Amino acid sequence: MRAWRALLGAQHRLSRVLDLELQAAHGTSLHDHEVLIILSEQPDGACRMADLADQVALSRSGLTRRVDRMAESGLVSRQPCPVDRRGVLARITEAGRRALEAATPVHVAGVRQHFVDVLASEELAVLAEALERVACAWPGAGLTTAGQAAGA
Amino acid sequence: MRAWRALLGAQHRLSRVLDLELQAAHGTSLHDHEVLIILSEQPDGACRMADLADQVALSRSGLTRRVDRMAESGLVSRQPCPVDRRGVLARITEAGRRALEAATPVHVAGVRQHFVDVLASEELAVLAEALERVACAWPGAGLTTAGQAAGA
């Protein structure tokens, strides 16, 4: 339990400081930034809302509220999913890509300062390998629809 | 960045599976469970809302909504803070302590199965030590009011 509490503590505090830094520099929240990163890494810049909810630490309703706000700011657009009539896609806009590009140096510097520089390189290697194993260790891991994850 | 992405990924997916397990067994969310754990560990079972927000991955408004819902369910009560006229305390109720006690075996078994058992004991030791260092590495870490954290 000590390692698990440490994981939660580190993630909470890192998220908080990275969020404060992004807000101060660009007025973007860390959660918005994470959504933009995920969308920008999709081949066509779009992702089903159900799959996006799986990848960020948000409930479906929390993600809907967030994407609504981001759409109002012009960072993303929402559209019906062409392959699933009940699905909705969130797509990063050109403005979203520019906001992501502008905020990335601040975010990367923050991760370096508050995480990478605090750790020895062997620790980073152990962390990366161990935590990737944790992330992939249960059947619902990875890109799944909410339905699949709930049934796992 | 690989270790940081792995940390986020592991935390998201662990939180999701632990949440599903708690919801299935007891109808409690992982976030509610975390709030109850923190309150139960305070000497008098109470914590200022501002300090509580610092310890869970929630904004002030998100925490207010959550504590409102938990108060409706009778798990916590809200009351004015005796030492800070603007402050509000959340306090765990007897029903909250019983709910926490009932859900704890499911939560502990989940952490064991999805986290501890996936890792070697040396990995767990490195993780705990490294991540505790990360959690304490910046001036705003630990129990601070939101005002202090924002100014850090």
Side-chain angles (χ1 to χ4, degrees):
Chain A
M1 288 306 275
R2 184 185 149 214
W4 168 239
R5 295 291 288 264
L7 176 70
L8 278 181
Q11 194 270 334
H12 288 178
R13 289 191 173 74
L14 270 172
S15 295
R16 192 170 183 89
V17 66
L18 295 175
D19 185 51
L20 290 171
E21 289 178 351
L22 275 179
Q23 302 263 16
H26 295 281
T28 334
S29 77
L30 180 62
H31 275 129
D32 288 358
H33 190 73
E34 285 178 2
V35 168
L36 292 177
I37 289 177
I38 292 168
L39 293 180
S40 75
E41 291 174 347
Q42 308 299 314
D44 53 356
C47 185
R48 283 170 44 124
M49 293 288 284
D51 297 332
L52 195 53
D54 263 6
Q55 293 188 69
V56 293
L58 284 173
S59 65
R60 290 293 292 276
S61 59
L63 179 69
T64 300
R65 279 197 297 272
R66 177 163 305 277
V67 167
D68 283 349
R69 277 198 299 271
M70 292 175 72
E72 278 171 33
S73 314
L75 300 174
V76 299
S77 63
R78 299 182 64 167
Q79 52 194 92
C81 176
V83 295
D84 170 7
R85 284 194 311 165
R86 291 168 310 166
V88 174
L89 289 181
R91 185 185 302 276
I92 188 169
T93 61
E94 272 311 305
R97 288 193 191 270
R98 284 195 300 273
L100 177 62
E101 206 175 314
T104 292
V106 172
H107 181 64
V108 170
V111 171
R112 175 165 294 281
Q113 180 187 347
H114 304 294
F115 183 63
V116 177
D117 288 354
V118 176
L119 301 172
S121 60
E122 312 85 66
E123 287 176 326
L124 277 171
V126 170
L127 245 72
E129 201 197 296
L131 294 176
E132 282 171 1
R133 200 159 355 111
V134 169
C136 301
W138 65 290
L143 264 181
T144 59
T145 69
Q148 285 169 335
Chain B
M1 288 308 274
R2 183 184 150 215
W4 168 238
R5 296 291 288 264
L7 176 70
L8 279 181
Q11 194 271 334
H12 288 179
R13 290 194 170 73
L14 270 172
S15 294
R16 191 169 184 90
V17 67
L18 295 174
D19 186 51
L20 289 172
E21 289 178 351
L22 275 179
Q23 302 263 16
H26 295 280
T28 333
S29 77
L30 180 63
H31 275 128
D32 288 359
H33 190 74
E34 284 179 2
V35 168
L36 292 177
I37 288 178
I38 293 168
L39 293 180
S40 75
E41 290 174 346
Q42 308 299 314
D44 52 356
C47 185
R48 284 170 43 124
M49 292 288 283
D51 298 331
L52 196 52
D54 263 5
Q55 294 187 69
V56 293
L58 284 173
S59 65
R60 290 293 292 277
S61 59
L63 178 69
T64 301
R65 278 198 298 272
R66 175 163 306 277
V67 168
D68 283 349
R69 276 198 300 270
M70 293 176 72
E72 277 170 34
S73 314
L75 300 173
V76 300
S77 62
R78 299 181 63 165
Q79 52 193 94
C81 176
V83 294
D84 170 6
R85 282 194 311 165
R86 291 168 309 167
V88 175
L89 290 181
R91 185 184 302 276
I92 188 169
T93 62
E94 272 312 304
R97 288 193 192 271
R98 284 195 300 273
L100 177 61
E101 207 175 313
T104 292
V106 172
H107 181 63
V108 171
V111 171
R112 176 166 295 281
Q113 180 188 347
H114 305 293
F115 183 62
V116 177
D117 288 354
V118 177
L119 301 172
S121 60
E122 312 84 67
E123 287 176 326
L124 277 171
V126 170
L127 244 73
E129 201 196 297
L131 294 176
E132 281 171 2
R133 203 164 348 115
V134 169
C136 301
W138 65 289
L143 265 181
T144 59
T145 68
Q148 286 169 335

